[in-house]
Amino acid sequence: MTEPHAPHAKPFTVEEGNRRIRSFVLRQGRFTDAQQRAFDELWPRYGLDYTGAPRELDAAFGRHAPRVMEIGFGNGEALRFASANDPARDYIGIEVHAPGVGRFLNALAADGTPNVRVYHHDAVEVLENEIADGALQEVRIYFADPWHKKKHHKRRIVQPAFAQMLVRKLALGGLLHLATDWEGYAEHMWDVLDATPGLANSAGPRGHVPRPEWRPETHFEKRGLKLGHGVWDLVYNRIG
């Protein structure tokens, strides 16, 4: 009997002789039969296959509406909450870890959520090649890997070039919302984003805001807060 596998063993473009620094490591864990069935049965409904060509989002969703993208949605807890409570907008989730994608596909089917589509691919490549400039009303990045060791800081997804790309993809007046429970990563994000032309920190330089109502508090976050750990929500406006 063969082991279950996700549809994309490598959720990024493999370029011979080019080892690109990525913000993730594929620690996939066990891929269950239920998650495999989710890919087999629900991917045609909710999945977006990466093609490397500009994506017609109106066709993907069957309507024209403002779009929100969550990068690295994990098991989809925040994305599930937001899309269910905001039916007027469309949501695009990006995640490279197959088990989380499989669990989220099953959750979408259980909820009957119509306004979500999912990529199982590298977010940088999706943004670079498939999302038109100005196409997104919001981008959300919650609890990205902080890559604690200094020698690994280059792997952090929030880097100057990435921030500049987000500015291009956001519509004027759009929002960039990030959350972290690691103070050192909050400091890093302030260093990068406060210095990025086209972004304005809604709380002022090196400022953060209380958790917005659209981001649910996670189980791990609640546990961390009880232990005295901090959580930083950074919200930036896309300005002209």
Side-chain angles (χ1 to χ4, degrees), residues 162-218:
F162 181 72
Q164 291 162 15
M165 179 166 61
L166 291 180
V167 170
R168 296 199 310 271
K169 303 305 173 179
L170 281 166
L172 192 63
L175 294 181
L176 171 61
H177 177 202
L178 311 98
T180 184
D181 57 357
W182 189 261
E183 187 173 9
Y185 198 24
E187 295 282 354
H188 170 83
M189 291 192 293
W190 282 320
D191 289 343
V192 173
L193 299 174
D194 282 8
T196 299
L199 290 178
N201 190 326
S202 65
R206 307 191 81 77
H208 63 100
V209 301
R211 178 179 56 84
E213 62 182 10
W214 62 78
R215 184 179 73 76
E217 193 174 54
T218 69

Side-chain angles (χ1 to χ4, degrees), residues 101-120:
V101 176
R103 283 189 286 270
F104 185 52
L105 291 173
N106 281 323
L108 289 177
D111 295 345
T113 305
N115 60 326
V116 180
R117 298 294 182 270
V118 176
Y119 277 101
H120 175 225

Side-chain angles (χ1 to χ4, degrees), residues 87-150:
R89 297 195 293 178
D90 294 332
Y91 282 76
I92 304 165
I94 304 180
E95 178 57 59
V96 295
H97 297 283
V101 176
R103 283 189 286 270
F104 185 52
L105 291 173
N106 281 323
L108 289 177
D111 295 345
T113 305
N115 60 326
V116 180
R117 298 294 182 270
V118 176
Y119 277 101
H120 175 225
H121 201 81
D122 176 17
V124 174
E125 291 188 11
V126 171
L127 284 163
E128 282 180 341
N129 301 315
E130 299 221 357
I131 305 301
D133 289 353
L136 302 175
Q137 188 179 61
E138 289 188 34
V139 175
R140 299 173 179 178
I141 307 173
Y142 299 153
F143 304 102
D145 192 333
W147 293 100
H148 306 97
K149 295 180 180 179
K150 187 173 182 179

Side-chain angles (χ1 to χ4, degrees), residues 71-92:
I71 295 172
F73 62 75
N75 292 334
E77 183 178 1
L79 186 53
R80 185 181 187 183
F81 174 87
S83 59
N85 287 281
D86 187 17
R89 297 195 293 178
D90 294 332
Y91 282 76
I92 304 165

